[in-house]
Amino acid sequence: ATQDDKDIVFKYIEAAAKLNKLPEVERIIRESKSYDPAKVKDFLIEMKLSDPRALIHLCDTNGYIAELTKYLYKNGFWKHIEIYLVKVNPQAAPEVMGALLDMECEESAIKGLLINVRACAIDHLVEAFEKRHRIQMLQPWLEARANEGNQQTELHTALAKIYVDTNRDADSFLVNNQFYDPKIVGKYCEEREPLKAYLAYKKGWGKCDQELIEVTNKNMLHKLQASYLVERQDPELWKLVLSADNQHMKRLVEQVVQTALPEAKTPEEVSITVKAFADAELHHELIEILDKIVLHRSEYSQFSNLQSLLILTAIKTEPSRVMDYVNRLENYNAPKLAQKALEHNLNEEALAIYTKFGNNEEAMDVLLNKIHDLSRAAVFAEKLNQPLIWSKLGQGYLIGENVEEAIKCFIKGNDPKSFMLVIGSAERQGKFDQLIDYLLMARQKIKDSQIDGALIYAYAKCQKLSDLESFLAQANSANVEQVGDRCYDEKLYEAGRILFNQIGKLGKFASCLVNLGQFQEAIKAAKKAESTKTWEEVNLACVKAKEFQLAATAGLKIIVHPDRLEFLIGTYEKYGFWEELIKLLDSGLALEQAHNGIFTELGILLAKYVPTRLMDHLRHYFQRLHITKVLKACEECLLWKEAVFLHYHYGQFDSAITIMIEHSPTAFEHDIFVQNIQKVTNSELYYKAINFYLAEQPLLLNELLTSIANKLDLAKTVGVLKNTGALALVQSFLKSAQSYNVQAVNDALNELYLESEDFENLRTSVTEFDKFDQLGFAKKLEKHELLEFRRIAALICLLYTSP
């Protein structure tokens, strides 16, 4: 509607009112929305009409309840107020009552007006009275609604406040009423009656825990707080109040210990409280609590968890009390507590627990592993006489290396399970007689090769050979060969003989016979075995026993196998019996199966031990040798002449020459040198040989040079000889080499003839061999003091000068 419309409607209402057309005014207000309600309200109040129904409708519709109430009350329209609340708008009761209270209406009138009000917002109604500190006026009306069965929280909350203020059976109401809001009521009571605040918060049962804690702390109501906490059974709440930063904790704990927990009504209350103290690590306080409950209150004394916790707490904090609790109490978790006692080194207490509850095996473990008292453990085992206890005691003795007592215990316990440990310990300590008894028991329980093997070994160590043979005749699972090897290694040859014969291990059987001095029987056994390995074992045993004839018999069976020859040689050499070895190989040369290895190894042995025989051996058998192997032995033994021989026959002429040069005192022979030098492939060796002969065999140099003249570079050779000043020494060679008409040779000879004034040979030389420095030599001769040399100069000019 426009402003013009509103003004028109207002004018119409104004006109109708002034004409006292009150029904028309009411109609327009009900039906039209085209007016300004505030303006119309103010107009109607000013007019003070005799019938306020139009104003009532306007104010109700537009929320002017307070102004309406004041107008009606001041102008004596009380009946209209009652009609408005009862028939028109009961929900307006809070605002109406508030306005009446503000105008200080009589209490009786207000109560009379309230009697007829039913359906209204109780919370707003209560708020209106409470705001004006007149809430007690509502008590009759509130009680009437409560009696009608109204369970609305705001109603009962208001009643609680009224009862608290009037002290009218408030405690009973707070404890028994189920419908009020405990948080609101508790807050309301805090400054008035802290005890009633506690009751209200307690009624909240979990909803007001924080508020309850604060009000009881603030007002020193720790006893009540303690009782509530015990009843509440809330671990998180306990955690809050038992935290280290709670300054009231000490007083609270005192009340819990002295009053609240001893008065607990259920085992759960006790259990949760105790656990809370344990979680907070208030161990000393916890012990005091549990001591009072468990030892002085019969209804809780048999609760297992409480007894267990008392002992556990004592273990952690007051170990001196543990033994007393263990002995006085009967219903606790023995295994768990015993273990905890052990963790805290309370070994005697743990033993007492295990013994009291018949945990005998665990008790024995404590005696053995914690208290370490074998004598007490032995008494304990004798008293109980149980297999498992004997077994544990046996383990204890075994750990203490008292295998003799351990075996007695294991036999009493009929327990073979630890046979490996028993065997090891008994063998280390040499208790073989006792071990036999144990193993015979063990065999009745367990079939195991280790047991049978150990029994055989024990028989052998005790020299009970008849028992050994009887045992072997029975079914068994022993590794007889392994035991036999062990006996053999420990020189128990009689037992070894029995064992190896039993399994047909003829080689070791033969070895045992050899070690027992029964050599012929050993050879017979080896012949039956027809095994190279057996012959090797017999040979080895005979060599060790210095029975060389029998060793040779076995050795001849071995050396025909090339792959086993080295082992046999090693055996003899290991013990220093090289003479017998050489004899054996000498015998083997005539065998039909003799192979190159025999000849070779014999050569090597001769090089090592009888070098005087080596050359003869090489000359006879060099074609059957592995020359390189023998060569190596010769070089290692510095047998250079024999090395030269082998190099020559192996076609290594360069090496032969090198050895003769480098080791000439023992290796050089001129004829052999000449034979080899003619076949070398390295030409430098010719000149090395020349220098060698110049140094050591100068008189044989001409013969050497003559033998290789056709291989030499004569010019280079002359240069070498000239540099050493040895030309005159090899004049005969040079004369024989002049036939090649080489200038260097001719020049060298001519000079030698000149120096020796041998004019006849010089004339022949310059006449027959034209390759020389003709002009230079002629000039050299023309001034010679001897006439014949001057004539030779003229002859040279005549022969070689062009016309």
Side-chain angles (χ1 to χ4, degrees), residues 9-27:
V9 174
F10 178 74
K11 290 293 186 182
Y12 182 81
I13 293 172
E14 184 179 29
K18 288 181 178 181
L19 293 173
N20 203 28
K21 300 291 188 179
L22 300 182
E24 183 64 15
V25 174
E26 183 178 356
R27 184 187 69 80

Side-chain angles (χ1 to χ4, degrees), residues 27 115 175 439 588 590 801:
R27 184 187 69 80
I115 291 174
V175 171
L439 294 173
T801 301

Side-chain angles (χ1 to χ4, degrees), residues 115 160 162 247 262 280 372 418 528 555 573 592 656 690 726 791 798:
I115 291 174
I162 293 169
Q247 60 182 344
H372 304 293
S418 302
K528 290 180 182 179
E573 286 192 308
E592 188 176 332
I690 291 171
R791 288 176 176 173
L798 180 65

Side-chain angles (χ1 to χ4, degrees), residues 164 174-175 218 281 374 502 511 600 685 700 705 776 782:
V164 168
L174 293 175
V175 171
K218 181 178 179 181
E281 298 186 353
L374 283 171
Q502 173 73 19
S511 296
T600 300
L685 284 174
L700 298 175
L705 292 171
E782 68 183 5

Side-chain angles (χ1 to χ4, degrees), residues 72-205:
L72 294 175
Y73 178 74
K74 288 181 179 180
N75 290 283
F77 293 112
W78 183 261
K79 188 65 175 177
H80 287 80
I81 294 174
E82 185 175 352
I83 293 171
Y84 174 69
L85 284 178
V86 175
K87 295 183 177 181
V88 178
N89 188 6
Q91 294 298 329
E95 290 185 79
V96 172
M97 296 302 172
L100 292 173
L101 289 171
D102 291 341
M103 293 184 291
E104 298 182 355
C105 177
E106 291 183 5
E107 184 176 337
S108 59
I110 293 174
K111 289 182 177 179
L113 187 61
L114 277 172
I115 291 174
N116 297 315
V117 176
R118 291 288 187 274
C120 72
I122 295 177
D123 53 341
H124 294 156
L125 183 63
V126 171
E127 183 181 359
F129 278 85
E130 190 172 13
K131 182 178 179 182
R132 295 164 177 83
H133 306 290
R134 303 295 293 277
I135 192 172
Q136 292 182 20
M137 289 176 62
L138 274 177
Q139 182 175 344
W141 186 84
L142 293 170
E143 289 177 341
R145 303 290 81 75
N147 292 333
E148 291 172 359
N150 191 322
Q151 297 180 359
Q152 194 168 346
T153 300
E154 291 79 9
L155 185 150
H156 292 273
T157 300
L159 280 175
K161 291 178 179 179
I162 293 169
Y163 294 151
V164 168
D165 285 341
T166 60
N167 199 22
R168 178 187 167 191
D169 202 16
D171 291 356
S172 175
F173 183 85
L174 293 175
V175 171
N176 298 313
N177 187 277
Q178 304 295 318
F179 308 114
Y180 68 87
D181 187 327
K183 187 170 289 190
I184 294 174
V185 175
K187 185 67 176 176
Y188 184 81
C189 295
E190 280 191 13
E191 298 301 328
R192 293 169 174 83
E193 289 285 347
L195 183 59
K196 290 180 173 54
Y198 164 78
L199 293 175
Y201 287 141
K202 181 178 180 182
K203 191 66 177 179
W205 201 250

Side-chain angles (χ1 to χ4, degrees), residues 367-421:
L367 282 169
L368 294 174
N369 303 323
K370 297 295 183 179
I371 300 176
H372 304 293
D373 193 333
L374 283 171
S375 60
R376 286 176 64 185
V379 172
F380 188 71
E382 286 287 352
K383 179 181 178 182
L384 296 174
N385 196 24
Q386 296 175 359
L388 286 176
I389 302 302
W390 283 118
S391 296
K392 286 186 174 292
L393 181 58
Q395 292 287 352
Y397 280 124
L398 203 56
I399 293 170
E401 291 295 319
N402 189 345
V403 71
E404 190 170 353
E405 289 299 325
I407 287 174
K408 292 178 182 178
C409 293
F410 285 130
I411 292 175
K412 289 180 180 179
N414 204 21
D415 177 15
K417 292 191 294 294
S418 302
F419 66 87
M420 289 300 297
L421 293 174

